[in-house]
């Protein structure tokens, strides 16, 4: 599936599943696009101010790390600061013809080619100079030296991590607690919530989920005119009332007002009767699927690879992180030999007496949404700048 946020309509985009045209509120457009599992998103750099564009693209990169983003920048030349900001986000597919007439032919070629690399995009980070241009050179016409430093790049906004299981009792809630603890101990603001039961299953069950017994000590917070129960455990919060809400749309606004960095969403058991949960797994920045690899429990996993009915279940399991809970080496090997066609890398989750015992596999699972160190440029020291600053 493809999508576009561009200035001008064109029949080339008619087959795209997501389309936005003209000058747009790029933040809202990006949020709408992130709700769809797109393979390619084409964005015209001139549809919004650069500051809003960079912020929205950063958010989208976190929410949809596997979507290929192609930037349209007609008329731009190497050295353009706005395009350079795009490159810094790790977006390397830049379509920049001399005029609008060349956009569609070049875009078609880029889509059919392999994604661009940093080496191909690096030309945008430097000005093209003539022999008489010494504005950025030091004595003798040599380029001024620049010092590389490491800075930490953190996800913007609320990053959702959805965790579900192939059947009951595979340890989804315990895995959620371990994930939340790992994020919290690294100075992130984390909230853990269960998937709402909804009005169709209202009753005692909807009021008490697996996380409720953990909330013996809780405090009431006011949100959207109602009191909600929020417990605190090992550095992170637990939204105890989320399970009793009518739908997930009611949960997000309550969580958003507290400026959390991460939401760990406990979806519980995944099945054909809950397509909304599957859709939420695809929308999340990171989807973790817990499976018990024991042969007598594997029948719970088999429906998810039924090629005759993939529309009901999961279109692409390779995009999810498969967590094999309490699996020994023999079971892991058997699982990989049997299902390697359908899944990517799997992550064994050993027995944990409590969430303080953090196996390496938890960090490996979370790697795509953890803050990263990137190379930045440090300006050379200037006595004049130091004097003026003082």
């Amino acid at each position: 599936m493809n999508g576009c946020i561009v200035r001008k309509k064109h029949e080339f985009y008619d087959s795209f599943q997501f389309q936005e045209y003209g000058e747009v509120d790029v933040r809202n457009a990006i949020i709408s696009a992130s709700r769809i599992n797109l393979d390619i998103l084409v964005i015209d750099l001139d549809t919004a101010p650069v500051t809003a564009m960079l912020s929205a693209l950063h958010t989208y990169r976190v929410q949809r790390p596997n979507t290929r983003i192609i930037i349209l920048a007609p008329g731009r030349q190497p050295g353009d600061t706005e395009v350079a900001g795009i490159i810094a986000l790790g977006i390397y597919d830049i379509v920049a013809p001399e005029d609008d007439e060349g956009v569609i032919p070049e875009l078609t070629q880029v889509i059919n080619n392999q994604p661009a690399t940093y080496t191909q995009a690096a030309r945008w980070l430097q000005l093209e100079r003539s022999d008489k241009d010494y504005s950025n050179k030091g004595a003798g016409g040599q380029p001024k030296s620049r010092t590389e430093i490491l800075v930490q790049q953190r996800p913007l906004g609320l990053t959702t991590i959805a965790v579900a299981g192939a059947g009951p009792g595979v340890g989804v809630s315990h895995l959620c607690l371990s994930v939340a603890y790992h994020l919290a101990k690294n100075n992130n603001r984390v909230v853990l919530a269960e998937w709402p039961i909804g009005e169709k299953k209202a009753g005692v069950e909807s009021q008490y989920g697996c996380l409720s017994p953990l909330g013996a000590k809780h405090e009431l917070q006011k949100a959207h005119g109602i009191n909600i129960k929020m417990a605190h455990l090992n550095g992170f919060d637990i939204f105890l009332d989320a399970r009793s809400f009518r739908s997930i749309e009611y949960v997000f606004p309550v969580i958003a007002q507290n400026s959390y960095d991460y939401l760990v969403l406990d979806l519980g058991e995944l099945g054909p009767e809950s397509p909304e949960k599957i859709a939420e797994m695809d929308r999340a920045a990171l989807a973790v699927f817990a499976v018990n690899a024991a042969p007598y429990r594997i029948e719970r996993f088999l429906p998810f690879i039924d090629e005759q009915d993939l529309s009901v279940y999961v279109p692409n399991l390779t995009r999810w992180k498969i967590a094999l809970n309490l699996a020994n080496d023999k079971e892991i090997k058997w699982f990989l030999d049997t299902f390697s066609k359908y899944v990517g890398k799997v992550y064994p989750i050993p027995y944990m007496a409590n969430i303080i015992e953090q196996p390496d596999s938890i960090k490996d699972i979370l790697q795509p949404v953890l803050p990263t160190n990137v190379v930045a440029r440090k300006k050379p020291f200037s006595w004049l700048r130091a004097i003026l600053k003082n």
Side-chain angles (χ1 to χ4, degrees):
M1 293 191 295
N2 297 337
C4 68
I5 303 174
V6 296
R7 288 179 300 150
K8 298 181 179 179
K9 290 185 178 181
H10 193 281
E11 60 182 10
F12 178 80
Y13 304 118
D14 289 346
S15 62
F16 285 18
Q17 285 72 26
F18 177 84
Q19 302 172 26
E20 288 278 353
Y21 297 105
E23 293 185 3
V24 300
D25 183 338
V26 69
R27 180 178 179 275
N28 289 334
I30 286 291
I31 290 174
S32 298
S34 66
R35 306 295 286 180
I36 306 173
N37 191 12
L38 297 175
D39 297 309
I40 296 176
L41 177 61
V42 179
I43 300 182
D44 192 328
L45 199 55
D46 294 328
T47 54
V50 60
T51 303
M53 178 66 74
L54 291 175
S55 176
L57 283 174
H58 194 168
T59 302
Y60 187 82
R61 287 283 290 170
V62 174
Q63 297 293 333
R64 289 291 180 184
N66 295 321
T67 298
R68 181 185 179 188
I69 300 176
I70 301 177
I71 298 297
L72 304 184
R76 306 293 180 110
Q77 299 295 324
D80 188 291
T81 56
E82 295 184 12
V83 179
I86 299 294
I87 303 299
L89 295 176
I91 302 171
Y92 305 140
D93 285 299
I94 309 296
V95 177
E98 294 182 358
D99 51 40
D100 290 339
E101 298 298 326
V103 169
I104 299 302
E106 289 196 22
L107 176 59
T108 303
Q109 183 178 0
V110 169
I111 289 177
N112 292 330
N113 292 339
Q114 293 294 321
T117 63
Y118 177 81
T119 302
Q120 295 170 298
R123 66 188 184 93
W124 289 95
L125 304 181
Q126 296 181 0
L127 289 169
E128 289 185 338
R129 308 181 184 90
S130 65
D131 292 339
K132 295 182 179 180
D133 183 7
Y134 298 99
S135 60
N136 197 36
K137 293 184 179 181
Q142 298 298 321
K144 293 180 181 179
S145 61
R146 293 180 293 177
T147 305
E148 291 185 350
I149 59 173
L150 285 178
V151 297
Q152 192 176 69
Q153 195 175 66
R154 299 179 61 84
L156 294 177
L158 179 67
T159 299
T160 302
I161 301 170
V163 185
V170 294
V172 172
S173 295
H174 195 78
L175 182 57
C176 287
L177 289 167
S178 297
V179 167
Y181 173 74
H182 182 89
L183 293 169
K185 74 175 184 178
N186 289 291
N187 300 319
N188 297 297
R189 296 201 67 225
V190 184
V191 61
L192 172 58
E194 285 183 304
W195 178 265
I197 290 296
E199 293 179 326
K200 293 181 180 180
K201 297 183 179 180
V204 176
E205 181 187 9
S206 67
Q207 303 299 323
Y208 302 99
C210 297
L211 301 181
S212 296
L214 299 173
K217 296 181 180 179
H218 65 268
E219 59 181 14
L220 294 177
Q221 295 185 8
K222 199 77 171 181
H224 297 270
I226 60 174
N227 290 321
I228 63 172
K229 294 180 181 179
M230 194 73 75
H232 190 75
L233 176 71
N234 290 315
F236 60 90
D237 291 337
I238 300 177
F239 185 11
L240 298 174
D241 284 344
R243 188 176 172 88
S244 63
F245 277 40
R246 285 182 290 175
S247 68
I248 194 65
E249 284 76 13
Y250 290 83
V251 173
F252 279 112
V254 173
I255 292 173
Q257 73 172 11
N258 290 311
S259 301
Y260 289 104
D261 300 314
Y262 293 92
L263 162 64
V264 181
L265 189 59
D266 184 347
L267 297 177
E269 180 183 358
L270 213 57
E273 72 284 351
S274 54
E276 298 89 356
K277 291 185 179 181
I278 296 175
E280 198 61 42
M281 290 281 280
D282 282 333
R283 283 194 290 262
L286 180 67
V288 184
F289 193 42
V291 179
N292 191 313
Y296 65 92
R297 293 289 302 274
I298 205 62
E299 74 277 358
R300 295 283 188 173
F301 176 72
L302 295 180
F304 293 90
I305 57 172
D306 184 0
E307 295 181 343
Q308 303 300 318
D309 201 12
L310 286 181
S311 61
V312 177
Y313 289 102
V314 185
N316 190 355
L317 273 177
T318 58
R319 295 190 177 184
W320 296 6
K321 302 288 186 180
I322 307 298
L324 292 184
N325 203 19
L326 304 179
N328 56 39
D329 293 340
K330 184 178 179 180
E331 291 169 341
I332 294 171
K333 183 179 184 303
W334 174 83
F335 186 89
L336 288 173
D337 291 342
T338 308
F339 304 113
S340 59
K341 174 183 176 182
Y342 306 98
V343 302
K345 184 179 178 181
V346 300
Y347 302 84
I349 306 298
Y351 171 76
M352 293 178 286
N354 55 67
I355 62 175
I356 307 298
E357 300 176 4
Q358 289 279 299
D360 293 337
S361 52
I362 298 294
K363 181 179 180 180
D364 294 339
I365 289 174
L366 295 175
Q367 196 59 47
V369 295
L370 294 178
T372 56
N373 290 328
V374 297
V375 175
R377 297 288 185 180
K378 183 178 180 180
K379 295 181 179 179
F381 179 78
S382 169
W383 282 108
L384 178 60
R385 188 184 299 115
I387 294 173
L388 292 174
K389 184 177 181 180
N390 292 333

